[in-house]
Amino acid sequence: MIFCHLQVLSDSNNVKTSSLYGINRKNAFFVVRRKENMCFKIISSDAASGSKDPDILEDSVVRFSSRWASKGYPEPLRMIRYHSVEKDEIFSFLTNHLSMPASLVAAAYRNRWLIEVFFKWVKQHLNIETFYGRSANAVSLQIYTAVITYCMVARLANQFSLRCSNYELLRALGISLTERIHLVDWIKSFQTGVLPAKSEFWGQSLFD
């Protein structure tokens, strides 16, 4: 499922035009690399689109001219030519976002790898395999909750100089959530592998 106003970034230049049009019909936005052999006609063009960014070489509204491409995506879209200072290379992007500044389109594509690395880190460290909600607010709350939990566990491991990974500590804490034991005593038992004979529990238990 593609959500409204979602921005899809792709490093592949083999995306089918019909797939892009499917994203557009879902009221979502995309930024993809343009194929070198792609045929199109320019509807309107502005060399710099009024942008103050000198690396924006062209910002044009185009339409596919080849038979199959125009059939897959029959509506106009933007083509932006951008000079990457880091790689000293010129990139051409296609996007259906007609109002976003060209510099932001280029920045979104340039930062796509950071987004991929972030979600890879989320999957590996926060143990989020699926999202319980599909709205932006629900996804944000779940990620924020997982990040806060991870930071608290990381601080706990650092405070008690635990020789284990945060993942192992999270797993152990998850198993012991219903144990009536003080946190300090639980840490000692976790370090030694021996359960304490008696723990002084501070505060009222959930089951009292």
Side-chain angles (χ1 to χ4, degrees):
M1 176 176 291
I2 299 175
F3 309 114
C4 293
H5 309 302
L6 176 70
Q7 185 159 303
V8 180
L9 306 174
S10 176
D11 192 36
S12 174
N13 59 0
N14 294 320
V15 180
K16 295 182 178 179
T17 55
S18 57
S19 300
L20 296 179
Y21 193 56
I23 296 175
N24 183 71
R25 295 186 64 181
K26 293 288 186 179
N27 294 325
F29 303 120
F30 61 81
V31 179
V32 297
R33 290 276 297 276
R34 181 180 71 88
K35 297 180 183 179
E36 294 183 0
N37 60 346
M38 185 172 288
C39 299
F40 56 87
K41 59 181 179 180
I42 298 177
I43 300 176
S44 63
S45 178
D46 191 338
S49 185
S51 175
K52 296 181 180 180
D53 191 343
D55 295 321
I56 301 298
L57 305 180
E58 182 182 358
D59 186 1
S60 303
V61 178
V62 302
R63 186 187 293 270
F64 293 118
S65 58
S66 64
R67 177 183 176 185
W68 294 110
S70 60
K71 183 178 180 180
Y73 200 104
E75 296 183 9
L77 66 163
R78 289 172 72 189
M79 183 190 71
I80 298 172
R81 293 178 65 242
Y82 166 78
H83 173 253
S84 173
V85 178
E86 296 84 359
K87 296 185 177 182
D88 193 20
E89 187 177 353
I90 296 177
F91 295 94
S92 294
F93 309 126
L94 292 176
T95 179
N96 62 334
H97 204 311
L98 303 180
S99 59
M100 178 183 289
S103 57
L104 290 183
V105 174
Y109 182 84
R110 186 171 62 247
N111 295 326
R112 73 197 183 284
W113 177 243
L114 298 178
I115 299 173
E116 293 180 13
V117 170
F118 169 74
F119 278 100
K120 183 178 180 180
W121 182 88
V122 167
K123 185 176 181 180
Q124 291 180 344
H125 295 84
L126 304 187
N127 198 27
I128 297 179
E129 298 180 355
T130 184
F131 290 106
Y132 299 115
R134 295 187 174 183
S135 66
N137 186 52
V139 172
S140 298
L141 284 175
Q142 186 173 348
I143 293 179
Y144 287 149
T145 302
V147 169
I148 291 172
T149 302
Y150 183 86
C151 291
M152 292 178 64
V153 169
R155 181 176 179 181
L156 184 68
N158 180 70
Q159 180 177 350
F160 290 93
S161 301
L162 299 180
R163 297 181 179 179
C164 66
S165 65
N166 292 337
Y167 176 77
E168 293 173 336
L169 185 55
L170 277 169
R171 290 289 301 273
L173 285 170
I175 297 174
S176 306
L177 284 177
T178 58
E179 295 289 337
R180 297 183 60 181
I181 182 173
H182 192 275
L183 180 59
V184 175
D185 294 332
W186 184 90
I187 292 295
K188 293 179 180 179
S189 66
F190 178 75
Q191 289 176 313
T192 60
V194 179
L195 293 176
K198 184 178 180 180
S199 174
E200 182 181 356
F201 185 83
W202 293 358
Q204 188 175 9
S205 170
L206 178 64
F207 303 102
D208 288 344

